[in-house]
């Protein structure tokens, strides 16, 4: 008899204590004289709560192995891209180990608050916002919860959807097993489409602009071309880098105890110099039970250490437009006729150019800064995650549970300017020593405890399970920072404490160090109950009621109540469905509410529970004023501030048909956010024109469809195709603002979508003079648009459509899997192209200062009056910053992952000391079809200047079981 463990679109098999915690049914089929036992799938809801798939009333999806297996993603969440309909997972930075990502489920539910889904790991809700220290090879299953019926149980943090992650366990009554998984390969930067000019092409652009042999700039460029200098700066700033990972897992299980242990190492180099990431992980998961199965105990302990070298722009948005500090911009601007070997070090560069960045000197400054050790910026992180859970069955029907978890993270960061670097020398002045170093330490400890009492009973065709629960969550955060001003270049080593120049009161710069610190204690408390009722496997109802409190608010707003109700009809169980093509047909409906207490979004890598800690209180501060004199500052608090509230209705259909060959899910939802947290306009008589508070209403409506078709499945061959897609319509219903939005940016206004582009619409080139033309409000054209001519474009940086498709196949040990992801209905401002294809730059001549796109070679001239590129001497290039001229379609179709490999069968390994061997080659982000001309259209940002591109990766892997 074959036992078939099926994992479909929503659920994962959940084994605990050697007993399947789900109702088992047996079906007999006569098709091939074989019999199979079908075990009902189990939907994991978190808080140690689960329900079988047929009895589930929630909208959820389980992420299949094709999204996780064999993929070299540092951040586990990156693998959720395209994993389920309605899920929008975009890497905000391809820098190794970056905490920048966007995980949206069913659209954006807040204007200023946290919009990412809640991550639950082994039944403990996480307060982290980066997961670089979580080893993907330790993950057993991942379930995405989307509607209120599934997320209301999480109350104050479930408004943006929930991702439930379960790590691997050992199995009872199993032998000792060891497995090794290894990957190695390289990462490469994605290719851009800016068509940067080479030296000869740049001379052509200079001539079109009006430079000639009488111009010093032109003569310098011509001399370099004659000398054979033609530099592709991308080859000096971007380079292939190594990726490798090694994991060893050990598992064993006796009659009453089992364990899973793993040890991992991962290393990934960055495409940009000075960036890389290394990680060590250790995990031990243990579960035990009493002989009578009444007492079950489990623990999960995860330890990790990582070191990350990152660019300054990763955490410093102030340099995003700075071509001498931001390589993602500067590398594009390097003049091709400049030699890359002109200066050997920072002192030689400073002696030559001083602080004059004209004539393309900025590329040399950038080259110096990207020399390892000149601008140290690295962070060491130690993380400890530990959970201990226990359940005891008092009677056959009553069980009590307790789950306690801690999540501790300590990050030590070193940043600064080495005293020999160009930037330090350029700011030295008359001081004997220059340079500085910052050392900062943050400690973040979260304690979570959930105690539950559960009832499960059945009488005839009626069955009920219910629970009452209490959750306590406490966060302790502390940070300290120190700055040393003045470094001795003879002894300075980044992060070692050497080379620090002592205080000198007689010096021009006395090298005074500075220190700072902060502390926040945050907490939440909740009590909640759940109930599920089933009649004869045909009809079911569920409900959740949760009462939440948070430290953020005061008075009556400290507590809030959230709830949900849901029902299902298993149509396939009705008598009239006998003999139909449907194997499963289930109709679901739900309605419920959630709250978002994280009303101000946390920065990348920061705990979202720590923001907005003082919004209800007036603040008196002592800012440093002119001449370091202390001043007095005041900020209004709003004691009436409260949670953002989200109400969601959902109707869904789950189905399988054609002898289980075709399976799918269809959902339609309407999600409404009220009490949006933002600025509230007030009279300026009080000294301010706004205070923060609750102001506005937003709606997200959408439809989701997920399909899978098992084309062929027999003993030697299998082939399945899958696809999912979603559409989300966002609209601001109510929102008050001060004044009117300014053209040239995104605007949030009632009656429009969130962050809708508001710009002048480009109308083409004036064929008579080469100037740019723009549409007026009445449909005419003008060279000088007015504010009233600006238009809303019904598009934003957030895509309206998203999804994926692919296939999984195998034949006699060979396997071939592919995954494609797509997004559509999205536009972003291409800042880099604004610099490269705009000869006026930021109000002055860019020609001769930075590289340009060869697009300009086809610009309007009196002899080329039909060109669609304006004249390089057009008088109104400045309007392009406020128009859609550089606003580009960022829709894309991406080859996300392709894997080809071979799995040796057990009989082929009978003479070897191994029980399994799997070898494969894999490619990640291989190719992108898009109109977007930059490195990567994927990140959810309005512009692209400081976006580190997600790399292309090629790896070879092996998995060996002993």
């Amino acid at each position: 008899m074959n036992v078939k463990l099926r994992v479909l679109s929503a659920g994962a098999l959940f084994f605990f204590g050697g007993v399947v915690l789900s109702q088992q049914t047996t079906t007999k089929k006569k098709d091939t004289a074989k019999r199979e036992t079908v075990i009902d799938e189990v939907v994991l809801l978190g808080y140690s709560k689960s329900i079988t798939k047929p009895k589930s009333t929630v909208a959820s999806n389980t992420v299949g192995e094709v999204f996780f297996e064999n993929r070299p993603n540092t951040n586990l969440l990156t693998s959720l891209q395209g994993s389920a309909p309605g899920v929008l997972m975009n890497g905000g930075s391809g820098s190794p180990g970056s905490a920048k990502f966007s995980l949206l489920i069913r659209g954006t539910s807040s204007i200023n608050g946290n919009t990412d889904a809640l991550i639950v790991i082994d039944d403990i809700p996480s307060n982290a916002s980066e997961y670089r220290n979580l080893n993907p090879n330790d993950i057993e299953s991942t379930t995405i919860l989307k509607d209120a019926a599934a997320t209301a149980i999480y109350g104050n943090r479930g408004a943006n959807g929930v991702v439930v992650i379960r790590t691997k366990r050992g199995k009872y009554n199993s032998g000792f097993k060891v497995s090794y998984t290894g990957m190695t390969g390289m990462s490469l930067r994605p290719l851009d489409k800016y068509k940067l000019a080479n030296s000869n092409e740049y001379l052509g652009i200079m001539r079109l602009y009006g430079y000639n042999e009488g111009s010093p700039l032109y003569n310098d460029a011509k001399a370099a071309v004659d000398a054979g200098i033609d530099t592709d700066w991308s080859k000096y700033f971007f380079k292939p880098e190594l990726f490798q990972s090694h994991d060893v897992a050990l598992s064993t299980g006796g009659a009453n105890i089992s364990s899973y242990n793993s040890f991992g190492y991962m290393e990934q180099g960055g495409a940009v110099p000075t960036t890389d990431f290394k990680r060590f992980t250790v995990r031990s998961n243990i579960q035990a039970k009493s002989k009578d199965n009444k007492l079950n105990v489990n623990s999960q302990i995860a330890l990790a250490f990582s070191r990350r070298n990152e660019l300054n722009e990763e955490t410093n948005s102030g340099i995003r437009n700075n071509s001498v500090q931001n390589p993602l911009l500067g590398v594009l601007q390097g003049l091709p006729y400049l030699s890359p070997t002109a200066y050997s070090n920072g002192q030689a560069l400073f002696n030559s150019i001083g602080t004059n960045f004209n004539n393309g000197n900025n590329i040399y400054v950038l080259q110096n800064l990207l020399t390892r050790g000149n601008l140290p910026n690295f962070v060491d992180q130690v993380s400890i995650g530990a959970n201990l859970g226990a359940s005891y069955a008092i009677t056959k029907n009553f069980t009590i549970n307790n789950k306690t978890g801690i999540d501790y993270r300590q990050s030590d960061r070193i940043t600064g300017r080495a005293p020999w670097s160009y930037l330090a020398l350029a700011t030295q002045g008359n001081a004997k020593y220059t340079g500085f170093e910052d050392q900062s330490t943050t400690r973040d400890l979260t304690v979570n405890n959930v105690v539950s009492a559960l009832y499960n009973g059945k009488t005839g065709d009626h069955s009920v399970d219910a629970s009452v629960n209490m959750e306590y969550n406490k966060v302790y955060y502390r940070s300290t920072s120190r700055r040393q001003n003045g470094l001795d270049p003879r002894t300075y080593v980044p992060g070692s404490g050497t080379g620090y120049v002592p205080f000198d009161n007689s010096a021009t710069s006395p090298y005074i160090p500075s220190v700072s610190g902060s502390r926040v204690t945050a907490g939440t408390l909740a009590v909640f109950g759940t109930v599920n009722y089933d009649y004869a496997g045909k009809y079911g109802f569920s409900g959740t009621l949760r009462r939440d409190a948070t430290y953020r608010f005061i008075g009556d707003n400290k507590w809030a109540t959230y709830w949900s109700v849901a029902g299902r009809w298993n149509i396939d169980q009705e008598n009239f469905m006998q003999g139909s093509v449907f194997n499963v047909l289930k109709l679901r409906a739900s309605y419920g509410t959630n709250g978002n207490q994280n009303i101000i979004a946390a920065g990348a890598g920061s705990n979202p529970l720590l923001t907005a800690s003082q919004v209800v209180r007036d603040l008196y501060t002592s800012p440093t004023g002119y001449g370091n004199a202390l001043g007095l500052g005041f900020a209004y608090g709003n004691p009436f501030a409260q949670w953002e509230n989200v109400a969601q209705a959902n109707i869904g259909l789950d189905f399988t048909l054609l002898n289980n060959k075709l399976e799918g899910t269809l959902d339609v939802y309407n999600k409404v956010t009220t009490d949006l947290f933002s600025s509230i306009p007030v009279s300026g008589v009080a000294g301010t024109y706004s205070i923060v508070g609750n102001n506005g209403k937003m709606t997200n409506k959408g439809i989701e469809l997920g399909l899978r078709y098992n084309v062929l499945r027999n003993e030697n061959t299998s082939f399945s195709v899958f696809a999912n897609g979603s559409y989300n319509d966002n609209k601001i219903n109510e929102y008050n603002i001060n004044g009117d939005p300014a053209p040239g940016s995104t605007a949030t206004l009632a009656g429009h979508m969130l962050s809708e582009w508001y710009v002048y619409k480009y109308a083409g080139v004036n064929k008579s003079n080469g100037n740019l033309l723009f549409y007026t409000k009445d449909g005419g054209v003008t060279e000088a648009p007015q504010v009233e001519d600006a238009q809303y474009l019904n598009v934003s940086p957030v895509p309206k459509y998203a999804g994926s498709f692919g296939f999984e196949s195998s034949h006699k040990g060979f396997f071939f899997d592919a995954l494609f992801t797509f997004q559509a209905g999205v536009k972003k401002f291409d800042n880099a192209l604004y610099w490269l294809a705009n000869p006026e730059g930021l109000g002055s001549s860019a020609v001769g200062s930075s590289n340009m796109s060869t697009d300009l070679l086809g610009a309007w001239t009196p002899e080329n009056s039909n060109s669609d590129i304006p004249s390089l001497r057009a008088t109104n290039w400045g309007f392009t910053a406020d128009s859609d001229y550089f606003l580009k379609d960022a829709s894309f179709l991406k080859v996300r992952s392709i894997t080809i490999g071979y799995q040796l069968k057990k009989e082929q390994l009978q003479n070897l000391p191994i029980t399994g061997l799997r070898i494969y080659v894999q490619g990640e982000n291989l190719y992108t079809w898009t109109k977007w001309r930059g490195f990567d259209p994927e990140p959810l940002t309005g512009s692209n200047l400081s976006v580190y591109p997600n790399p292309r990766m090629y790896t070879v892997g092996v998995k060996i079981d002993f």
Side-chain angles (χ1 to χ4, degrees):
M1 178 181 295
N2 294 326
V3 179
K4 189 177 184 181
L5 307 182
R6 299 188 301 130
V7 180
L8 300 180
S9 63
L13 291 172
F14 183 29
F15 291 93
F16 189 80
V19 179
V20 179
L21 296 183
S22 62
Q23 183 182 4
Q24 298 188 7
T25 62
T26 302
T27 60
K28 298 181 179 180
K29 300 183 179 181
K30 299 179 181 180
D31 50 356
T32 60
K34 292 183 179 181
R35 295 181 179 180
E36 61 180 18
T37 300
V38 179
I39 302 178
D40 288 342
E41 305 150 38
V42 176
V43 178
L44 302 179
L45 301 176
Y47 291 122
S48 300
K49 181 177 175 58
S50 61
I51 190 169
T52 60
K53 172 70 174 181
K55 294 185 178 181
S56 171
T57 60
V58 307
S60 63
N61 296 91
T62 289
V63 181
E65 289 184 352
V66 69
F67 290 90
F68 289 105
E69 202 169 43
N70 311 322
R71 298 181 65 183
N73 292 324
T74 303
N75 184 344
L76 162 77
L77 300 182
T78 304
S79 296
L80 294 178
Q81 293 162 328
S83 62
V87 177
L88 191 63
M89 170 63 207
N90 282 24
S93 171
S95 179
S98 174
K100 291 183 177 180
F101 67 89
S102 299
L103 178 52
L104 304 181
I105 297 180
R106 296 186 167 180
T108 305
S109 301
S110 179
I111 294 177
N112 297 300
N114 182 57
T115 58
D116 290 326
L118 173 68
I119 310 299
V120 177
I121 304 174
D122 291 326
D123 294 327
I124 298 296
S126 171
N127 285 326
S129 59
E130 51 86 1
Y131 297 90
R132 54 176 167 252
N133 280 5
L134 183 61
N135 190 341
N137 286 323
D138 288 335
I139 304 305
E140 180 177 276
S141 67
T142 302
T143 303
I144 299 171
L145 308 177
K146 298 186 289 188
D147 69 342
T151 62
I153 193 175
Y154 293 96
N156 60 20
R157 287 182 287 174
N160 299 312
V162 180
V163 177
V164 180
I165 297 174
R166 176 180 165 86
T167 59
K168 293 178 180 177
R169 270 66 161 170
K171 293 181 172 60
Y172 291 113
N173 299 310
S174 62
F176 180 69
K177 299 179 181 179
V178 180
S179 68
Y180 164 78
T181 303
M183 288 187 288
T184 185
M186 66 171 53
S187 61
L188 304 169
R189 72 174 179 98
L191 302 176
D192 65 83
K193 303 175 183 178
Y194 289 129
K195 299 184 292 187
L196 298 179
N198 60 30
S199 293
N200 276 313
E201 291 168 332
Y202 201 85
L203 283 177
I205 294 174
M206 297 180 83
R207 286 191 293 267
L208 278 175
Y209 190 70
Y211 291 140
N212 50 47
E213 294 185 1
S215 166
L217 283 175
Y218 185 88
N219 291 340
D220 290 345
K222 184 67 166 57
V225 170
D226 293 340
I229 299 176
D230 190 6
T231 305
D232 181 355
W233 286 101
S234 67
K235 294 181 179 179
Y236 292 88
F237 289 98
F238 294 124
K239 63 187 188 310
E241 272 294 347
L242 174 71
F243 171 89
Q244 61 174 319
S245 69
H246 307 276
D247 294 279
V248 177
L250 306 90
S251 64
T252 186
N256 300 101
I257 189 170
S258 68
S259 68
Y260 168 85
N261 301 277
S262 71
F263 307 88
Y265 171 75
M266 194 278 293
E267 177 181 349
Q268 181 179 349
V272 178
T274 73
T275 63
D276 57 54
F277 179 74
K278 298 177 182 179
R279 176 183 69 203
F280 295 90
T281 60
V282 178
R283 175 173 288 275
S284 179
N285 292 350
I286 299 173
Q287 54 186 10
K289 63 177 182 177
S290 61
K291 290 184 178 180
D292 60 5
N293 288 329
K294 287 188 174 181
L295 176 64
N296 287 271
V297 180
N298 64 86
S299 68
Q300 298 86 41
I301 300 176
L303 310 176
F305 170 80
S306 64
R307 166 164 288 187
R308 179 170 186 256
N309 285 288
E310 64 185 28
L311 293 176
N312 191 20
E313 64 84 27
E314 183 81 6
T315 54
N316 185 359
S317 61
I319 65 168
R320 59 193 302 267
N321 289 326
N322 191 331
S323 61
V324 302
Q325 295 192 57
N326 182 2
L328 305 175
L329 169 63
V331 68
L332 300 172
Q333 294 187 300
L335 288 170
Y337 55 80
L338 296 181
S339 170
T341 59
Y343 304 103
S344 58
N345 54 49
Q347 187 67 62
L349 174 60
F350 179 68
N351 292 341
S352 175
I353 72 170
T355 57
N356 180 8
F357 295 161
N358 295 332
N359 304 329
N361 287 335
N362 55 325
I363 194 66
Y364 292 125
V365 178
L366 181 62
Q367 185 181 32
N368 179 262
L369 297 185
L370 290 187
T371 301
R372 188 171 289 272
N374 281 8
L375 213 66
N377 189 8
F378 63 89
V379 57
D380 293 343
Q381 185 179 81
V382 175
S383 61
I384 303 172
N387 302 329
L388 177 63
S391 66
Y392 183 75
I394 302 175
T395 68
K396 178 182 178 181
N397 304 108
F398 288 96
T399 303
I400 56 173
N401 289 336
N402 192 83
K403 186 81 168 183
T404 300
I406 64 169
D407 187 357
Y408 175 76
R409 298 169 189 267
Q410 177 172 317
S411 298
D412 298 289
R413 180 181 294 274
I414 302 294
T415 61
R417 293 178 183 173
W420 52 78
S421 68
Y422 170 84
L423 275 187
L425 296 170
T427 56
Q428 183 172 2
N430 296 324
K432 181 179 180 180
Y433 296 100
T434 185
F436 67 84
E437 180 176 272
D438 293 331
Q439 294 195 22
S440 63
T441 298
T442 60
R443 299 178 180 90
D444 188 337
L445 172 64
T446 299
V447 180
N448 185 281
N449 189 80
V450 179
V451 59
S452 307
L454 298 91
Y455 169 81
N456 191 311
K458 183 175 182 180
T459 302
D461 290 333
H462 305 272
S463 64
V464 176
D465 69 78
S467 70
V468 291
N469 315 263
M470 182 175 72
E471 178 184 13
Y472 173 78
N473 189 56
K474 197 74 171 181
V475 178
Y476 302 91
Y477 173 85
R478 182 185 294 273
S479 70
T480 58
S481 64
R482 293 81 62 194
R483 167 169 286 196
Q484 167 63 32
N485 292 293
L487 303 171
D488 189 332
R490 297 169 298 179
T491 56
Y492 173 65
V493 176
S496 67
T498 61
Y500 283 14
V501 178
F503 171 77
D504 185 356
N505 195 39
S506 63
T508 303
S509 297
Y511 316 115
I512 302 174
S514 60
V515 297
S516 63
S518 65
R519 185 183 70 176
V520 178
T521 301
T524 65
L525 179 67
V527 291
F528 57 97
T530 66
V531 62
N532 290 278
Y533 167 78
D534 173 73
Y535 174 73
K538 295 182 179 181
Y539 316 106
F541 302 92
S542 65
T544 300
L545 181 64
R546 175 162 170 149
R547 182 74 169 160
D548 272 292
T550 179
Y551 83 105
R552 279 197 174 100
F553 309 123
I554 59 177
D556 293 339
N557 293 326
K558 181 180 288 290
W559 287 87
T561 302
Y562 301 103
W563 55 273
S564 72
V565 292
R568 61 171 171 81
W569 177 23
N570 297 75
I571 305 173
D572 56 278
Q573 297 296 313
E574 299 289 354
N575 292 332
F576 62 79
M577 290 294 293
Q578 292 183 6
S580 74
V581 297
F582 287 93
N583 304 97
V584 173
L585 184 62
K586 182 178 67 174
L587 180 66
R588 296 175 280 103
S590 67
Y591 184 83
T593 62
N594 286 101
N596 182 17
Q597 66 154 333
N598 299 323
I599 53 178
I600 296 180
S606 301
N607 189 332
L609 201 60
L610 301 176
T611 64
S613 59
Q614 301 290 340
V615 296
V616 297
R617 301 171 179 87
D618 294 339
L619 295 180
Y620 295 89
T621 60
S622 299
T624 301
Y626 180 77
N628 289 327
L630 291 179
L632 178 63
F634 177 77
Y636 285 102
N638 183 357
F640 302 104
Q642 59 178 302
W643 324 67
E644 294 183 335
N645 293 291
V646 178
Q648 184 175 185
N650 188 94
I651 297 177
L653 190 68
D654 300 327
F655 55 89
T656 64
L657 62 158
L658 304 176
N659 291 324
N660 294 312
K661 280 193 170 185
L662 177 63
E663 58 194 66
T665 179
L666 174 67
D667 282 274
V668 179
Y669 63 87
N670 183 28
K671 185 166 63 171
V672 180
T673 306
T674 54
D675 299 319
L676 289 166
F677 186 82
S678 61
S679 296
I680 301 176
V682 296
S683 171
V685 70
T688 182
Y689 289 96
S690 66
I691 60 171
V692 293
N694 300 92
N695 163 32
K697 176 182 176 182
M698 178 195 301
T699 300
N700 285 277
K701 299 178 181 179
I703 184 169
E704 305 165 347
L705 177 64
L707 296 171
R708 183 182 185 89
Y709 185 65
N710 302 311
V711 181
L712 180 63
R713 182 164 294 174
N714 57 41
E715 184 177 353
N716 295 320
T717 306
S718 67
F719 182 68
S720 300
V721 295
F722 60 87
N724 75 69
S726 61
Y727 166 75
N728 184 79
D729 179 33
N730 175 279
K731 186 176 182 180
I732 303 295
N733 306 102
E734 301 171 7
Y735 191 57
N736 296 321
I737 64 173
N738 268 323
D740 297 317
S745 63
T746 59
T748 298
L749 195 69
H752 297 270
M753 66 174 61
L754 176 67
S755 299
E756 183 173 350
W757 285 107
Y758 179 62
V759 295
Y760 303 124
K761 293 193 68 174
Y762 177 63
V765 178
N766 187 333
K767 297 184 184 300
S768 64
N769 59 13
N771 282 343
L772 296 85
L773 294 174
F774 302 91
Y775 288 108
T776 62
K777 63 179 180 179
D778 57 6
V781 294
T782 180
E783 293 184 0
Q786 304 300 309
V787 172
E788 58 268 20
D789 295 322
Q791 302 180 43
Y792 289 95
L793 300 186
N794 192 33
V795 69
S796 79
V798 180
K800 296 180 180 180
Y801 305 89
S804 70
F805 60 89
F807 62 83
E808 300 172 72
S809 62
S810 66
H811 178 68
K812 294 184 178 181
F814 291 95
F815 57 90
F816 180 23
D817 302 333
L819 171 65
F820 300 79
T821 60
F822 65 87
Q823 293 177 9
V826 52
K827 284 191 175 183
K828 298 190 294 185
F829 189 81
D830 195 336
N831 304 65
L833 188 62
Y834 175 77
W835 287 64
L836 298 171
N838 176 2
E840 293 302 322
L842 297 180
S844 61
S845 174
V847 181
S849 298
S850 63
N851 202 357
M852 311 294 291
S853 171
T854 56
D855 291 355
L856 299 184
L857 289 173
W860 181 97
T861 64
E863 298 76 29
N864 184 28
S865 60
N866 289 322
S867 173
D868 58 355
I869 305 295
S871 168
L872 300 194
R873 286 294 186 176
T875 60
N876 58 350
W877 274 105
F879 284 108
T880 57
D882 300 328
S883 77
D884 63 351
Y885 186 87
F886 291 110
L887 194 63
K888 302 300 181 181
D889 188 350
S891 303
F892 67 84
L893 170 62
K894 182 175 290 191
V895 184
R896 182 69 61 182
S897 174
I898 289 182
T899 307
I900 302 174
Y902 184 70
Q903 174 79 52
L904 274 72
K905 296 181 179 179
K906 191 173 183 179
E907 53 267 24
Q908 295 174 284
L909 302 168
Q910 55 186 351
N911 296 323
L912 298 175
I914 59 178
T915 59
L917 177 61
R918 179 185 179 96
I919 55 177
Y920 58 89
V921 294
Q922 195 267 351
E924 190 86 5
N925 296 326
L926 294 183
Y927 189 79
T928 303
W929 291 273
T930 181
K931 295 180 180 179
W932 183 253
R933 299 179 63 176
F935 295 114
D936 192 353
E938 183 177 307
L940 296 184
T941 58
S943 60
N944 67 328
L945 278 186
S946 60
V947 176
Y948 194 120
N950 291 292
R952 296 173 292 147
M953 301 189 70
Y954 302 87
T955 55
V956 178
V958 61
K959 182 177 181 183
I960 307 174
D961 297 317
F962 298 90

